Amino acid sequence: MMIDYLPLKRITAMHADEIHEAVGRVIDSGWYLRGEATERFEEEYARFIGTKHCVAVANGLDALTLILRAYIYNNVLHEGDEVIVPANTFIASILSITENRLKPVLVEPRLDTFQIDDSLIEQAVTPHTRAIMLVHLYGRCAYTERIAAICRAHNLLLIEDNAQAHGCSLLSRHTGSLGHAAAHSFYPGKNLGALGDAGAVTTDDDQLAATLRSIANYGSSRKYVFDHIGRNSRMDEVQAAVLSVKLKYLDEDNARRRAIAAYYLENIALLSSPEGDTNGLKRKEAPSGAVGESVWHIFPLLCERRDALQDFLAENGVQTMIHYPIPPHQQACYADWHNLCLPVTERIHAQELSIPCHQAMTDAEVEKVTEIINHFNT
C-alpha cells in the first residue's frame, strides 16, 4: 500500500463531524460571504497570531499582493521600490512584488536552514530598498534579530510570508506577528488548510488593515463608494467555518508533525550520523534545535541523487514531493534573471526531496518511510 505524501481526505476526516456541522450551519444560515463565520475566524486567528487585525482574503497570493498594494495606496511604497526576498522561495512571493511594479532583490538562503541568509542582506540594501519579505519556508522561522536590526537601521518594512508556518513561534511570539504585516495561505495542503482557497493578512497597523480591507472589496469602504482601484478577494463563509474548526487543533497537529520530524532526525541513519553524507544524503537541512523551531510543513532532505532516491521510495510505496524543482530566477516568466548566479539556491532546488510528515501519519508509516530510506543504495 502506498504511503501518500499528504492524504487530505484522511486529514479532514480527523475532524469530519465538526466540519460537517460547521458547514451545515453556514448552509442553513443562507449567508455565504462576509458573514458571521468570516468575522469569527478573523477574530480567532488574530488572537491566535497575536495581532490587532486579521483581514480574510481569497488566497495567500492575494494576501501578499494586497499588503504591498495597500502600502502603495498609503504612500509608503512607490513603483520601482526594491523588496529583498529569499531567492529559493515559492514563486508567489515574487509574483506579489512584480505585480505591484516593485523590484524583487533575490538573496541567497543558508544551506543549513533553507532560510534567507541574514549575513547577506545588508549588502543587498540600496537607496531604493524599502522592505524585506521574510518567507518562513518549510515551516521554520526565518526571523532573526539581525534582520530586525537591519530594518530599523534602514527604516525598512518587514513583511512576513507565513504561508507555510501556521503556529510557528519564536520566543512565545507566533510568526505572522513579528513584522509590520504578514500574509497567510490556507490552501488545503497547509498546516492550517481550508477545503479550497483562502488567505488572510495579520497586522497591528490600523490604517493598513482598513486600506487592505477596502481594496479586497472592490476598493470600497462603504457600499457603492469606491476609494481605491480594488479587486474581489474574499474568503467565503464555508472556508471560514472550516478554518475555525481546524484552528482549535493546530497546536496539537503541529506537535504531531514535530514528533514525526524528531523520529526522522534520530532514526534516518544519514541524518543522525556525524558523517551525514553517505549515499549523497546531507544533514544540512536538520541542524541542532530544528525540531523546536519548526512546525514542519515540509520535511526536506537534500540528496545529490535526488531523482534516484525519489524513484526508490516510489518503488517501495512512498510518495514524495519536490519543493521546488525550478527556482524563480530560472523560470520562463522571469527570463531577465536567467543570467543570475545563485549557487546555494540552485543546489537546494536540484537536491531537495520532501518526505511524508503530517498529523495523520501512523507510527508504522513513519517507521516504514525511515526503513526504506535507510536501505537506499545499500
Side-chain angles (χ1 to χ4, degrees), residues 4-286:
D4 294 329
Y5 176 73
L6 189 67
L8 293 178
K9 185 175 180 179
R10 277 175 60 190
I11 290 172
T12 302
M14 294 172 70
H15 311 298
D17 290 344
E18 288 184 72
I19 289 171
H20 280 292
E21 290 176 9
V23 172
R25 286 193 296 270
V26 172
I27 293 171
D28 292 342
S29 76
W31 196 284
Y32 307 129
L33 283 170
R34 303 186 72 198
E36 291 181 2
T38 302
E39 183 177 342
R40 180 170 58 252
F41 175 71
E42 287 180 332
E43 292 173 355
E44 292 168 348
Y45 197 62
R47 184 164 56 249
F48 176 83
I49 293 296
T51 55
K52 288 176 63 177
H53 303 282
C54 170
V55 180
V57 297
N59 54 68
L61 175 56
D62 276 6
L64 283 168
T65 303
L66 294 178
I67 288 172
L68 298 173
R69 187 75 48 84
Y71 276 127
I72 289 171
Y73 284 149
N74 288 350
N75 206 34
V76 177
L77 293 175
H78 303 87
E79 183 175 334
D81 285 347
E82 295 176 355
V83 180
I84 290 172
V85 64
N88 63 319
T89 187
F90 179 60
I91 197 78
S93 312
I94 310 292
L95 291 173
S96 70
I97 299 170
T98 57
E99 183 176 330
N100 282 293
R101 297 185 179 181
L102 302 169
K103 181 181 178 182
V105 176
L106 306 183
V107 172
E108 287 265 64
R110 288 170 52 116
L111 195 58
D112 61 344
T113 66
F114 295 160
Q115 308 306 313
I116 192 169
D117 189 337
D118 60 6
S119 70
L120 301 177
I121 292 176
E122 188 85 49
Q123 66 196 55
V125 175
T126 77
H128 303 289
T129 307
R130 295 293 179 270
I132 297 174
M133 182 179 288
L134 281 186
V135 185
H136 304 297
L137 275 169
Y138 304 161
R140 185 183 176 114
C141 181
Y143 177 94
T144 68
E145 284 300 323
R146 186 173 189 171
I147 293 172
I150 292 170
C151 288
R152 290 191 296 269
H154 297 278
N155 194 28
L156 304 179
L157 294 170
L158 184 59
I159 299 166
E160 297 174 80
D161 180 341
N162 199 52
Q164 298 186 8
H166 309 133
C168 182
S169 61
L170 177 70
L171 301 177
S172 300
R173 292 182 62 191
H174 279 121
T175 55
S177 69
L178 302 175
H180 294 92
H184 309 256
S185 167
F186 305 118
Y187 178 79
K190 305 299 187 184
N191 289 36
L192 179 61
L195 298 187
D197 271 324
V201 174
T202 53
T203 185
D204 288 328
D205 187 327
D206 297 339
Q207 183 181 15
L208 180 74
T211 302
L212 197 149
R213 197 176 289 278
S214 169
I215 298 170
N217 186 37
Y218 299 99
S220 174
S221 56
R222 52 196 173 96
K223 196 164 187 177
Y224 301 134
V225 176
F226 303 96
D227 305 305
H228 307 100
I229 299 173
R231 65 202 296 171
N232 175 10
S233 182
R234 298 178 295 206
M235 180 187 293
D236 68 65
E237 289 284 279
V238 168
Q239 305 310 331
V242 170
L243 289 168
S244 283
V245 171
K246 296 179 80 172
L247 179 60
K248 294 187 295 182
Y249 301 99
L250 179 59
D251 287 339
E252 178 183 324
D253 291 345
N254 285 340
R256 176 58 181 161
R257 287 173 177 261
R258 287 192 178 103
I260 293 168
Y263 184 90
Y264 283 155
L265 292 172
E266 180 67 24
N267 293 283
I268 293 178
L270 302 171
L271 296 180
S272 58
S273 163
E275 294 81 13
D277 61 357
T278 311
N279 293 346
L281 285 171
K282 305 293 181 184
R283 23 191 335 270
K284 294 289 188 181
E285 75 293 350

